[in-house]
Amino acid sequence: MKRAIAILVWAGWAASGLAQEVVKKKSKFDHIQVSTGGELGTSPMLMSREDFSKLAPNANLYPTTPMEDIRMGLMFSWNASSFNVQLGWRPTLENGQDKSQHRAWRVGLIGQSFQTNLYSMITENTERIDTLYQASTGAIYGFIDSTERFYTNGYYRATALKVDVSHVWSTGWDRRFNLYTGIGINAGVNLAPKTQIVSNRWSSAEVIDADGQVISSTSTYSSSIDFQRETFYNKTGWTAAAYIPIGLDFRVGQKREYLKNLHFFSEIRPTLNYVRVPETRGYLFPTIQSTMGLKWCW
């Protein structure tokens, strides 16, 4: 928790320093933007069986299979949704009157709900329940097999509240279509983190011939009786990220003044994330963010 507070203080200090620089140059906020989007990552928060047990102590649904069979951390790992609110300003040029058309600062808050898949496991059990015979000759021509598959997944979930600062360079804010890129950082606390273990069952019956080829099959998945979940509440952690915004900005109006102030934008962010889990350690991994939003200038 102390580290999380230190990160927030540092981010606030950085934002304050940027604001002081702007005041010295007689600049001020000249736009606000709101966006929402998602984030995906295939590189996992690699975690040992012992570490996972610290997040979910005495779990009843945790598999008893040896760790190497669980494939800990090797499945699709990270997905998140976010909501961003940012204030921005363009630095004043040396003449003290005009503002830059090619640079801008942004500072704001990000609310991010994330989930990471720590492990996935499938246990399969097949049983032969009947043999099919030809009525005329009595020869075996097929079998009926019953298969049960148990799926177990472990997740770490939290909602992060982060302070965000970025600096962007563009082809020209006065253009109708504007390409931009830059660099950004954000940091904050992970609120209400929890670990969940989810288990469900897939059952199927298959008719196969004497050569093992499937003739027909029926299946039932995840009934209310078979679905199980365990939840464990964890300590508050913190998270930070560095990213490269790459976006396209579209100004709605050309003639009417109020429409000139309205912009739509879409942005992709290659991101390097760091998540600190107090019970275990810190995890560093890459992701890709995608956002869409509205911007109002004045």
Side-chain angles (χ1 to χ4, degrees), residues 86-140:
Q86 296 171 309
L87 285 169
W89 68 91
R90 293 173 294 148
T92 302
L93 299 177
E94 293 182 359
N95 60 23
Q97 301 296 323
D98 299 323
K99 289 189 173 184
S100 172
Q101 296 294 339
H102 301 284
R103 292 198 303 128
W105 288 95
R106 309 184 302 193
V107 61
L109 292 174
I110 297 177
Q112 183 184 56
S113 176
F114 68 82
Q115 169 182 292
T116 181
N117 184 2
L118 301 179
Y119 78 87
S120 295
M121 179 181 175
I122 302 174
T123 302
E124 182 175 302
N125 181 37
T126 300
E127 180 181 356
R128 182 146 294 169
I129 59 176
D130 202 357
T131 302
L132 304 177
Y133 298 90
Q134 291 181 353
S136 58
T137 64
I140 296 175

Side-chain angles (χ1 to χ4, degrees), residues 1-52:
M1 186 64 185
K2 291 181 180 179
R3 290 189 179 183
I5 294 174
I7 288 293
L8 287 176
V9 170
W10 174 83
W13 173 82
S16 174
L18 294 175
Q20 290 177 9
E21 177 187 346
V22 172
V23 170
K24 289 179 182 179
K25 294 185 178 181
K26 297 182 181 181
S27 185
K28 61 181 181 180
F29 293 117
D30 54 28
H31 64 273
I32 183 173
Q33 60 185 48
V34 178
S35 62
T36 184
E39 183 175 13
L40 294 174
T42 56
S43 296
M45 289 171 54
L46 290 173
M47 185 173 294
S48 68
R49 187 182 186 93
E50 290 74 19
D51 282 349
F52 186 85

Side-chain angles (χ1 to χ4, degrees), residues 65-77:
T65 308
M67 184 178 66
E68 58 270 20
D69 294 336
I70 294 178
R71 295 160 55 192
M72 190 72 76
L74 296 181
M75 302 296 289
F76 174 79
S77 177

Side-chain angles (χ1 to χ4, degrees), residues 168-228:
V168 295
W169 295 267
S170 77
T171 55
W173 298 114
D174 53 344
R175 298 183 179 183
R176 187 158 200 187
F177 289 94
N178 172 40
L179 294 172
Y180 64 90
T181 187
I183 188 169
I185 57 172
N186 55 60
V189 294
N190 296 331
L191 305 174
K194 59 186 177 183
T195 301
Q196 288 188 329
I197 303 175
V198 177
S199 177
N200 48 43
R201 180 176 70 97
W202 180 298
S203 62
S204 63
E206 297 178 338
V207 178
I208 63 176
D209 62 22
D211 296 324
Q213 299 298 315
V214 177
I215 300 173
S216 65
S217 65
T218 59
S219 60
T220 304
Y221 176 69
S222 189
S223 70
S224 59
I225 297 176
D226 301 320
F227 181 83
Q228 299 180 71

